[in-house]
Amino acid sequence: MYDRVLVGAKTMKTATIIRSLVYVLSFAVAVGTCIATESSLSVHSPVCEYKTNPLGIDVEKPRLSWKITSSERAVTQSAYQIRAAQDIGDLTSGRNLVWESGKLESGRSIHVVYEGPSPASRRRIWWQVRVWDNRGRNSDWSEPAFWEMGLLKPDDWTADWIEPNLSEDENISNPCPLLRREFMLAKGGIKSARAYVTCHGLYQMRINGQVVGDELFTPGWTAYLHRLQYQTYDVTELLNEGKNCVGVILGDGWHRGRLAWKKRRNVYGKKLALLAQIEVEYKDGSRELISTNGHWKASTGPILVSDIYNGEAYDARLEMDGWSKPGFDAKGWAGVTTASHSKDILVAPAGPPVRKIEEIRPAKILKTPTGDTVVDMGQNMVGWVRLKVRGPAGTRVTLRHAEVLDAQGNFYTENLRAAKQTVEYILKGKSEEVFEPHFTFQGFRYVAVEGWPGRLSLEDLKGVVIHSDIRRTGTFECSNPMINQLQHNIQWGQKGNFLDVPTDCPQRDERLGWTGDAQVFARTACFNADVASFYTKWLADLAADQQPSGAVPHVIPNVLSLGKEKGQSASAGWADAAVVVPWTVYLCYGDTRILEQQYSSMKAWVDYMAGRAGDTYFWNTDHTFGDWLAFNTNRSDYPGATTDKDLIRQAYFAWSTDLLQRTARVLGKTADAEKYGGLLEKVKNVFQDEFVTPNGRVASNTQTAYSLALAFDLIAPDMKQIAAKRLADDVRQFEHITTGFLGASPICHVLSDYGYLDDAYMLLNRKEYPSWLYPITKGATTIWERWDGIKPDGTFQDKGMNSFNHYAYGAIGEWLYRVVAGIDIDEQNPGYKRIIIEPHPGGGLTFARARMDSMYGPIESEWHLDGDTVTLEVEIPPNTTAAVKLPSAKLNDVTESGKPLGLVRGIYLLQTRKEGDRIVIPIGSGHYLFRSDGR
Ligand code: BGC
C-alpha cells in the first residue's frame, strides 16, 4: 500500500551537478538569506489566555498569543515587541505605557507571559504586538486588544449573599425564585458599568427587562466546595440615568436539582442563593455600587419546575409583566435573608461559557404506531426546543424528548432511566407565544408533542443546540461518505458532551464528568475544537476534588463521593485523566502552564498508585472499571474479550508515570524526572514479568491487552513486532474490533505504527457489528455508548446503560486526523510549532483532507490518489516548520507545484533524510502541492 504513495516527477533528468547547485540555492532561499521580494507580514487574532478580549479574568500574569500571516513561504518570527497601556489612546500613541517589552529576539508567538505590573481588580489592559520575520521585515502593530481583571480578592465583594424567603419543600423541585431590586443612578453620564454575579444554583440576570449577556448555565459547574465561578458582564448599555431595576431568576441546577442516580438531589445544598454587585462608574470618576443585600425582594414566578434531568414546567399565566423593570408593584413579594456563604472560593471562569450555538429546523413530523405525534429533528442534539404557539389560555403543551424510536417506530424513553426530559408549557392565551426553557437541557432527536392547539407544523418548533462555546478548529473529510458521517457523529458527540464539563452523556440521569471517557477522547477533542481553556477549568476541578490520598474520583466534579476522603475513585484508565489530559493540552497547545498548574495533582495520582503498589511495584488493588463495554458473547468457544484488570492497572500505572516523568523534564524538575523515570522502569519490568511471555504473548491475549502494552511502550524492544503481529492476527481472526473504551482509542494507532495499516483500515471500514460504522447503518447521528446500542435484530441493548450520545468510542477521530490525513505533533516542539505531515493512504480511499486551526494558524493535509498519481496538498502556518514524511518516495521524483524540489522556495532540501521507508522533507510555512505520477 505504501508503494503507491509516491511523490515525485518521473522524468526529471537534470544533471546531478546542476541539481546540487539548485538545491543549495533553494536552501539559501528557504532560510531567507537572499532574494528580497514584495511581501506582506501581519499579526492578527490576538488572544489572552485563549480568549478574545476577555472580561473578568483572574490570571495575574496572563499569556498572550497571536497569529501571523504572510504571502511568503518559510516565514518565521525572529522578534516581537509588545506594548500595553491602561488606555487605548495611550496604547496607540505609545505614551504612558504600563509595559513595553522592547524588541525581543524570539520566535515565541504563543503563550508570551505579560511581564508588566500585575493589574489590580477591575483594571483593563490594552495591548498590541508587532513582529519581525526571518527576513528582517516587520509587521504593523496588531489591532489593539484587551483583557480586564475581575474581582481578585474576597473583600472586593462587598455584596452579601442572599437567599429568598420562600417556603419550599426540599424533597421536590420547587418553583424558580425571582429576585429584584430597584435603584437610582445619578444624572450626568454613566461611563461604564460591570455586573459581577454568582449564585448557588443557576442564574439568569436581567436589567431593566433585558437579559444580561448570552451565557447559559451560569455560574457553571465546578468543584463547588472549593471553587465557585462568578461572571463579569459589561452592562453599561443596559443602565439608565435615574430609575433602574435588576432582576434575577434562580434555578436548581447542579447545586440542588436532581443529580446522579437514586433520585439524589440537594447534592451541594438545599437553598439557592445569589451574590451580585453592579459597579457603575460615572464620567466624573465617581462610582456607585448596587449589591445584593437584605433589601432585595423575592417571589416565585411562572417557572414551576426547572431541573437539568427532568425538564421544565412553565405556566405563562403566572408571568408578571415588568417584574425586572422599575415601577413594578412588588408589594406582595417576600424578603430575603443574608447568608454567610464563602467568598473565598470565588474564581473567574477559565473556560468558555455555554451558549446557544446553532439552531436546527426539524426534518419531519410523524405519527407513531401507538399514536404519538413525534417531531424528528434529523439529528441527535443537545439543548432544547423553542416553540411558537397560539391557543387559548390554560392550554397545556407537553414536549417529551427521546434519542431513538424503537424497532416498531414508537417513541422510546427507557434508556433515559429516571430523567424525565419533559417540558410543559401552559399558554397565557395572548397572540403568538414563544417559549424556551431556562435551566434544563435535553439530549434528543425526537420530540413527542402533546396538547398542541391546532395543527402542528415544522415551523412551530426549532431545535436550539447549546454547548460550551468551544471554537471549532478541525475538519476531516474523505472519499468514503460513511467515514464522513462517522466524523460528523464524533463532532456532534463532542458538542453534546462539552457542556461546561466533559460529560459521559447528555440525556439520562447521569451527565457527569466521567474521567475515563474524557481521558480517551481528549486528543480527538483537541483536533475538533479549541478546548484548551475548557480543560484548564475542568482540570482545576479535578485537582480540587482529588482525594487527600491522591486518588482521583470517577467523576469530576465529584458528586459520587462528595466531601468524602475515600470511595468512588482510583479506577485505572479513569483516574489517569489527571495526567493524560494536561499532557494532551500541553502537546496540542504548547501550554506548559497547564503542566505547572496540574503538576502536584499529576504527581499525587502517580504517588497514589506507587503507594498502593508498595515495594512490589505491582498495582493490583482498587476498584477498576476495566476495558469498559468490551465485546462480549455467549459463545463458549470465544466468551468475549475481557482484559485482566490487573494488566490494565499496571499498564496505566506505567503510562501515567511515563507522562509524569516527561512532564518533570519539560518543567526542568530534574530530580523528579529521574525519580519517576526510575519508577517507570520498575513498573514496566513488573508488567513484563507478570503479563508478557518470553514469546511475546501478552496476558489476556486480547486486542486491548496488546494495544495498551504497545501504545504505552511496555514491551521489550525485541518483542514488540511479535506482540504487534499477535494483535494483527487477532484482528484478522475475528475480523472486527473486540475492545471496550480503553482499547478502542489506541488500537488503530498501534496497528498502523507496526505496519498493519490495512488491518487498521479494515476495522475502520467494517460496517457490521461490532464496528465504528455499524451504528451508521442503523441511522446514528452521534457516537453510541455501546457497539450495539441497537442490535442487528433491531432490539435495544440493556436499557440501564444505553446512551446514543457518548463520545468515548469517538476517540477514533484522532486516528483519522493523525494517521489517515497525517497531521501530527513533534513532541519536542509541541503546540504544532513543528508539524509532522505523514499521510497514510489506504482503505480504498481516493482522498482524505484534514484541516485544523492551531495556535499558529491553519494546518492542512490533503491527499488524492488517481490511479498511480498521488497529490499531497499541505498548508503550514507562519512561524512553524514541518516535516513532510513521504512513504516509499524517491527524493528526485518529487515535484511541488509542477517544479522539481530543487527549484522550490520553502523546502529545506539539504536536510531531507531517510527514516525507515520514508523520506522526510523539512519545509517552512506556506502552501505546497506535491505530486507523483507513480513508479
Ligand atoms: C458512564 C460511563 C463511565 C462508566 C464507568 C457509566 O455509567 O456512562 O461512560 O465511564 O459508567 O464505567
Side-chain angles (χ1 to χ4, degrees):
M1 178 161 315
Y2 288 157
D3 291 350
R4 297 179 60 211
V5 193
L6 294 177
V7 181
K10 274 196 276 195
T11 54
M12 197 178 138
K13 293 197 179 99
T14 320
T16 317
I17 191 159
I18 296 175
R19 188 156 49 212
S20 304
L21 282 171
V22 171
Y23 287 170
V24 170
L25 176 65
S26 85
F27 175 66
V29 170
V31 296
T33 54
C34 63
I35 305 185
T37 51
E38 276 295 303
S39 78
S40 68
L41 180 72
S42 62
V43 189
H44 64 100
S45 308
V47 291
C48 170
E49 292 297 318
Y50 297 104
K51 294 179 177 173
T52 306
N53 296 338
L55 213 57
I57 67 166
D58 59 7
V59 182
E60 291 188 26
K61 294 273 179 211
R63 294 160 304 165
L64 310 174
S65 308
W66 54 87
K67 290 178 182 162
I68 297 168
T69 47
S70 165
S71 53
E72 297 246 322
R73 280 185 178 175
V75 169
T76 53
Q77 176 187 294
S78 61
Y80 68 81
Q81 182 179 12
I82 300 175
R83 60 186 183 185
Q86 288 183 13
D87 179 273
I88 186 168
D90 284 345
L91 178 81
T92 47
S93 63
R95 284 194 308 267
N96 298 323
L97 297 177
V98 293
W99 180 49
E100 145 72 279
S101 68
K103 181 180 171 185
L104 284 175
E105 307 283 313
S106 166
R108 181 169 271 278
S109 59
I110 64 170
H111 307 306
V112 174
V113 177
Y114 163 75
E115 296 290 0
S118 293
S121 292
R122 307 174 181 87
R123 185 63 77 209
R124 177 177 290 202
I125 302 288
W126 288 92
W127 68 282
Q128 56 187 173
V129 58
R130 62 176 168 175
V131 301
W132 284 258
D133 70 10
N134 46 332
R135 287 156 200 150
R137 285 169 293 216
N138 67 292
S139 73
D140 287 338
W141 287 104
S142 65
E143 284 301 307
F146 68 81
W147 76 90
E148 187 177 298
M149 304 308 287
L151 301 183
L152 303 177
K153 302 187 297 297
D155 58 14
D156 286 326
W157 290 90
T158 49
D160 291 324
W161 277 103
I162 56 170
E163 294 175 349
N165 294 340
L166 299 170
S167 85
E168 296 181 323
D169 177 350
E170 65 191 38
N171 300 309
I172 56 169
S173 294
N174 289 278
C176 290
L178 309 181
L179 296 158
R180 74 185 301 277
R181 172 82 173 140
E182 293 197 19
F183 56 96
M184 292 289 288
L185 291 180
K187 303 220 172 359
I190 298 167
K191 185 176 166 215
S192 74
R194 297 285 177 271
Y196 302 96
V197 194
T198 187
C199 75
H200 287 179
L202 300 173
Y203 73 84
Q204 186 194 73
M205 177 179 263
R206 294 167 187 215
I207 291 181
N208 297 326
Q210 290 200 51
V211 175
V212 174
D214 58 0
E215 305 187 3
L216 303 170
F217 293 88
T218 46
W221 190 14
T222 45
Y224 284 152
L225 299 188
H226 312 282
R227 294 170 12 94
L228 175 63
Q229 297 183 145
Y230 63 90
Q231 281 72 33
T232 304
Y233 304 96
D234 182 346
V235 294
T236 318
E237 299 302 319
L238 300 179
L239 293 170
N240 301 319
E241 294 178 8
K243 288 184 184 161
N244 289 274
C245 179
V246 52
V248 175
I249 315 174
L250 294 179
D252 292 349
W254 298 284
H255 180 79
R256 73 167 190 185
R258 281 274 297 103
L259 200 56
W261 325 277
K262 299 189 185 148
K263 308 252 160 153
R264 257 189 270 195
R265 60 169 63 248
N266 302 322
V267 169
Y268 292 100
K270 291 180 177 163
K271 291 208 157 234
L272 301 180
L274 174 69
L275 177 72
Q277 60 194 46
I278 299 173
E279 301 189 2
V280 181
E281 189 185 344
Y282 293 108
K283 289 189 177 137
D284 66 4
S286 60
R287 301 178 71 84
E288 187 113 41
L289 181 66
I290 300 94
S291 12
T292 41
N293 59 26
H295 301 300
W296 283 53
K297 292 281 180 211
S299 168
T300 56
I303 309 177
L304 306 177
V305 170
S306 193
D307 180 85
I308 288 177
Y309 293 169
N310 289 334
E312 184 160 317
Y314 187 94
D315 188 343
R317 296 169 304 180
L318 301 179
E319 285 175 357
M320 292 172 277
D321 279 348
W323 72 273
S324 61
K325 292 183 182 161
F328 175 79
D329 180 3
K331 274 201 204 77
W333 283 41
V336 298
T337 303
T338 57
S340 57
H341 304 308
S342 171
K343 296 175 189 169
D344 297 340
I345 59 169
L346 298 178
V347 294
V354 177
R355 289 197 171 100
K356 295 181 198 176
I357 306 290
E358 59 193 288
E359 296 195 350
I360 294 188
R361 189 177 185 274
K364 58 175 184 257
I365 301 177
L366 48 100
K367 248 298 183 265
T368 65
T370 55
D372 286 323
T373 300
V374 170
V375 177
D376 176 2
M377 304 306 299
Q379 171 64 50
N380 195 8
M381 56 163 280
V382 176
W384 54 68
V385 164
R386 178 167 65 234
L387 57 83
K388 221 167 50 181
V389 65
R390 237 175 238 273
T395 309
R396 184 185 299 256
V397 172
T398 306
L399 307 180
R400 293 181 299 127
H401 301 75
E403 292 186 290
V404 283
L405 303 179
D406 68 14
Q408 288 69 45
N410 287 316
F411 199 67
Y412 180 80
T413 55
E414 283 177 38
N415 68 323
L416 305 177
R417 305 198 304 219
K420 292 203 185 72
Q421 290 219 119
T422 300
V423 171
E424 228 173 59
Y425 179 74
I426 303 174
L427 279 70
K428 58 189 166 197
K430 286 188 201 146
S431 60
E432 186 176 86
E433 299 174 40
V434 178
F435 173 73
E436 291 180 40
H438 297 78
F439 304 115
T440 180
F441 61 87
Q442 285 77 49
F444 65 103
R445 170 170 171 175
Y446 298 97
V447 188
V449 183
E450 283 157 39
W452 193 265
R455 212 181 123 81
L456 180 68
S457 94
L458 287 176
E459 306 311 317
D460 298 328
L461 306 183
K462 264 271 159 60
V464 179
V465 177
I466 64 158
H467 54 83
S468 286
D469 197 355
I470 43 179
R471 188 173 58 87
R472 181 167 170 176
T473 50
T475 54
F476 173 88
E477 209 188 333
C478 68
S479 54
N480 182 339
M482 286 187 81
I483 296 174
N484 295 341
Q485 181 68 38
L486 174 67
Q487 165 69 6
H488 168 101
N489 295 3
I490 295 169
Q491 278 177 322
W492 276 87
Q494 182 164 351
K495 292 182 196 188
N497 287 295
F498 272 54
L499 206 150
D500 213 48
V501 304
T503 59
D504 58 334
C505 61
Q507 73 298 80
R508 67 181 180 220
D509 54 348
E510 198 148 355
R511 314 183 192 191
L512 304 176
W514 278 97
T515 45
D517 310 42
Q519 181 266 116
V520 296
F521 189 69
R523 187 74 183 263
T524 301
C526 292
F527 276 109
N528 287 330
D530 179 353
V531 291
S533 68
F534 174 88
Y535 282 134
T536 302
K537 169 210 175 240
W538 185 71
L539 287 168
D541 293 313
L542 185 150
D545 268 347
Q546 203 163 351
Q547 293 166 355
S549 61
V552 179
H554 299 331
V555 300
I556 298 294
N558 176 18
V559 291
L560 299 181
S561 52
L562 183 70
K564 301 205 177 106
E565 292 224 336
K566 284 189 179 163
Q568 303 280 343
S569 62
S571 171
W574 271 250
D576 299 278
V579 176
V580 176
V581 179
W583 179 257
T584 305
V585 173
Y586 161 73
L587 278 185
C588 298
Y589 301 94
D591 186 336
T592 46
R593 193 177 274 181
I594 192 95
L595 297 181
E596 283 158 18
Q597 283 170 350
Q598 296 301 127
Y599 190 70
S600 51
S601 154
M602 297 165 86
K603 199 166 142 165
W605 168 238
V606 172
D607 288 347
Y608 173 86
M609 291 185 281
R612 299 290 278 169
D615 53 16
T616 65
Y617 300 99
F618 184 27
W619 179 37
N620 59 358
T621 54
D622 289 300
H623 164 78
T624 284
F625 292 110
D627 188 25
W628 192 246
L629 300 181
F631 179 68
N632 215 345
T633 75
N634 296 324
R635 282 169 40 188
S636 52
D637 61 335
Y638 182 66
T642 305
T643 305
D644 185 348
K645 289 185 180 178
D646 285 349
L647 178 146
I648 290 174
R649 274 194 215 93
Q650 191 72 1
Y652 268 97
F653 182 14
W655 181 231
S656 279
T657 306
D658 191 357
L659 296 184
L660 179 64
Q661 60 113 9
R662 292 191 223 181
T663 300
R665 204 158 289 146
V666 170
L667 298 180
K669 296 177 188 290
T670 325
D672 272 6
E674 268 166 38
K675 173 177 156 193
Y676 292 105
L679 175 63
L680 175 62
E681 282 319 301
K682 295 190 173 105
V683 176
K684 266 195 200 183
N685 288 342
V686 172
F687 184 91
Q688 290 171 8
D689 291 350
E690 198 72 34
F691 301 113
V692 188
T693 69
N695 291 336
R697 174 185 290 255
V698 178
S700 298
N701 203 32
T702 58
Q703 293 176 10
T704 292
Y706 289 107
S707 299
L708 296 182
L710 288 161
F712 298 167
D713 190 22
L714 305 179
I715 303 211
D718 56 334
M719 285 295 163
K720 285 184 181 173
Q721 277 302 342
I722 299 170
K725 181 170 180 308
R726 287 180 184 275
L727 170 64
D729 287 346
D730 189 276
V731 167
R732 285 174 192 171
Q733 183 191 342
F734 292 102
E735 296 179 330
H736 65 72
I737 190 161
T738 65
T739 78
F741 279 22
L742 298 183
S745 70
I747 187 169
C748 284
H749 291 283
V750 169
L751 287 169
S752 51
D753 281 354
Y754 284 89
Y756 297 101
L757 182 68
D758 288 350
D759 300 281
Y761 268 118
M762 184 278 284
L763 293 181
L764 175 68
N765 278 328
R766 183 185 156 94
K767 296 186 201 60
E768 299 76 26
Y769 162 76
S771 68
W772 279 284
L773 299 187
Y774 165 72
I776 292 166
T777 67
K778 295 285 182 189
T781 58
T782 36
I783 299 293
W784 294 354
E785 178 173 26
R786 294 173 175 268
W787 295 121
D788 59 347
I790 300 174
K791 296 187 204 163
D793 67 4
T795 59
F796 290 120
Q797 253 287 2
D798 175 9
K799 65 180 184 209
M801 237 193 43
N802 198 15
S803 150
F804 293 96
N805 196 354
H806 232 74
Y807 58 46
Y809 285 143
I812 185 67
E814 174 188 344
W815 194 75
L816 300 180
Y817 283 103
R818 287 178 67 189
V819 179
V820 177
I823 298 179
D824 212 346
I825 293 167
D826 170 4
E827 190 179 317
Q828 300 313 312
N829 296 277
Y832 298 97
K833 178 74 174 153
R834 183 166 171 79
I835 300 156
I836 294 168
I837 300 286
E838 188 175 7
H840 287 80
L845 299 179
T846 55
F847 86 91
R849 170 193 310 132
R851 194 174 163 85
M852 98 130 254
D853 194 13
S854 71
M855 293 287 290
Y856 295 95
I859 303 170
E860 188 169 322
S861 171
E862 172 173 351
W863 56 260
H864 287 259
L865 276 183
D866 182 8
D868 279 347
T869 304
V870 183
T871 53
L872 173 66
E873 206 168 332
V874 174
E875 168 105 32
I876 301 299
N879 205 25
T880 67
T881 56
V884 176
K885 299 194 178 185
L886 301 169
S888 307
K890 282 199 196 124
L891 184 59
N892 294 353
D893 291 343
V894 177
T895 62
E896 193 283 313
S897 297
K899 294 190 209 118
L901 292 193
L903 300 174
V904 174
R905 174 183 275 249
I907 293 181
Y908 303 100
L909 217 74
L910 294 187
Q911 296 168 30
T912 52
R913 60 177 198 279
K914 270 287 233 190
E915 196 181 271
D917 70 338
R918 278 135 230 255
I919 55 162
V920 182
I921 308 176
I923 61 173
S925 65
H927 189 267
Y928 300 81
L929 181 60
F930 296 102
R931 182 188 163 103
S932 157
D933 293 317
R935 260 200 294 226

